[in-house]
Amino acid sequence: LNASANVEEESLIIENENILNQYNRFPLIIDPSGKHIDSLIHNKEDIKVTSFLDESFMKQLESALRFGTKLLVLDVEYYDPILNSVLNKEVQRTGGRSLVRLGKQDIDLSPSFVLYLCTSNPDISKSLTPDLQSRVTLINYTVTASSLHEQCLSSLIKSQSPDVEQQRVDTLKLQGEYKRRLRDLESSLLHELNSAKGKILEQDSLLLCLENLKSEANTITTKAKENRNARKSIEKA
């Protein structure tokens, strides 16, 4: 967790940090304050920062792919679809080499390559296409009335009953796990649908995959509801 702010145990931060540490698809971070992006830059070793508006963006991307650099790209509003194959992790293995298609050329891909897409625009989530959303793990640090309520509640319970607050934090972490998995399932569903060719109802393997995703999503939704009820009981204690 980010310990530099007083909202260390606030629900939104707990959930997002949990997701950020356990994602399957590269994250797209919405951070209006900029402090979480700054923290990421300062806490990650050997991270390079660029922008979709930077003239040297392509060179920095190619270099990061080849040498396994952590690359943080700002200004997602100007997203370049050339990244689609990277986000999809469409890797070709030839003669012991791992290659990813970038435009018209194949680039060597280091297994240690990491990508973070970032923006400070809180409204971008409204304009993100389903196609792009299916390729990333969305992490939104936009402060809401609900998150401010959580912050005040956390401070109150912590001052009066530290043990109870720890139980509450544990349930929030678990809730973050459930939300992360549901987002992953949603991304997988969108990806399968976008990749489908021909008539969906005639593809047995796709229908089976969709049914499995639906089943797991229902199970997680039930667990999340039970965990949410447990958190409410703790907060009333």
Side-chain angles (χ1 to χ4, degrees), residues 197-215:
K197 297 179 180 179
K199 297 181 179 180
I200 294 178
L201 296 179
E202 296 178 357
Q203 301 181 47
D204 292 340
S205 60
L206 175 59
L207 291 176
L208 179 60
C209 177
L210 296 181
E211 187 62 32
N212 289 337
L213 289 174
K214 179 182 177 181
S215 177

Side-chain angles (χ1 to χ4, degrees), residues 5-197:
N6 291 329
V7 294
E8 179 181 22
E9 294 173 344
E10 187 256 317
S11 174
L12 182 67
I13 307 300
I14 292 173
E15 291 177 4
N16 284 341
E17 293 299 324
N18 195 27
I19 295 170
L20 188 56
N21 290 327
Q22 302 183 58
Y23 59 83
N24 290 322
R25 298 184 181 276
F26 291 128
L28 190 162
I29 303 170
I30 302 174
D31 179 21
S33 71
K35 65 182 180 182
H36 301 290
I37 293 176
D38 288 341
S39 176
L40 185 65
I41 293 172
H42 288 102
N43 292 332
K44 296 291 183 181
E45 294 183 3
D46 303 321
I47 190 169
K48 301 295 183 182
V49 181
T50 185
S51 163
F52 283 108
L53 300 177
D54 194 328
E55 292 182 358
S56 62
F57 165 69
M58 284 300 299
K59 291 183 178 179
Q60 294 188 65
L61 176 59
E62 291 178 18
S63 176
L65 288 167
R66 286 194 173 99
F67 299 109
T69 306
K70 301 179 185 71
L71 187 66
L72 188 148
V73 186
L74 300 170
D75 302 308
V76 169
E77 300 89 327
Y78 301 94
Y79 175 79
D80 190 335
I82 200 170
L83 264 182
N84 286 351
S85 59
V86 176
L87 296 182
N88 289 343
K89 300 180 181 178
E90 298 172 0
V91 181
Q92 305 173 38
R93 291 178 172 80
T94 306
R97 298 169 63 194
S98 295
L99 303 171
V100 63
R101 192 73 174 176
L102 200 63
K104 296 182 179 180
Q105 58 180 331
D106 291 323
I107 304 295
D108 283 286
L109 175 64
S110 168
S112 58
F113 169 75
V114 177
L115 179 67
Y116 301 97
L117 303 180
C118 303
T119 180
S120 60
N121 182 357
D123 296 322
I124 192 173
S125 58
K126 301 176 184 177
S127 59
L128 289 176
T129 64
D131 181 61
L132 178 55
Q133 289 189 53
S134 72
R135 303 175 194 271
V136 299
T137 296
L138 190 62
I139 298 177
N140 195 341
Y141 284 103
T142 303
V143 176
T144 63
S146 175
S147 65
L148 289 175
H149 168 75
E150 286 287 349
Q151 179 182 342
C152 295
L153 182 63
S154 174
S155 299
L156 177 62
I157 298 177
K158 186 176 182 180
S159 65
Q160 296 181 352
S161 305
D163 293 342
V164 173
E165 171 60 7
Q166 185 57 52
Q167 293 178 42
R168 196 182 79 92
V169 170
D170 290 341
T171 61
L172 286 173
K173 288 180 180 179
L174 187 57
Q175 194 72 8
E177 277 286 326
Y178 290 145
K179 286 190 176 183
R180 178 189 66 80
R181 184 56 187 153
L182 284 173
R183 288 179 185 177
D184 287 344
L185 289 172
E186 182 181 356
S187 294
S188 297
L189 175 60
L190 290 171
H191 178 68
E192 292 293 339
L193 291 175
N194 288 331
S195 302
K197 297 179 180 179

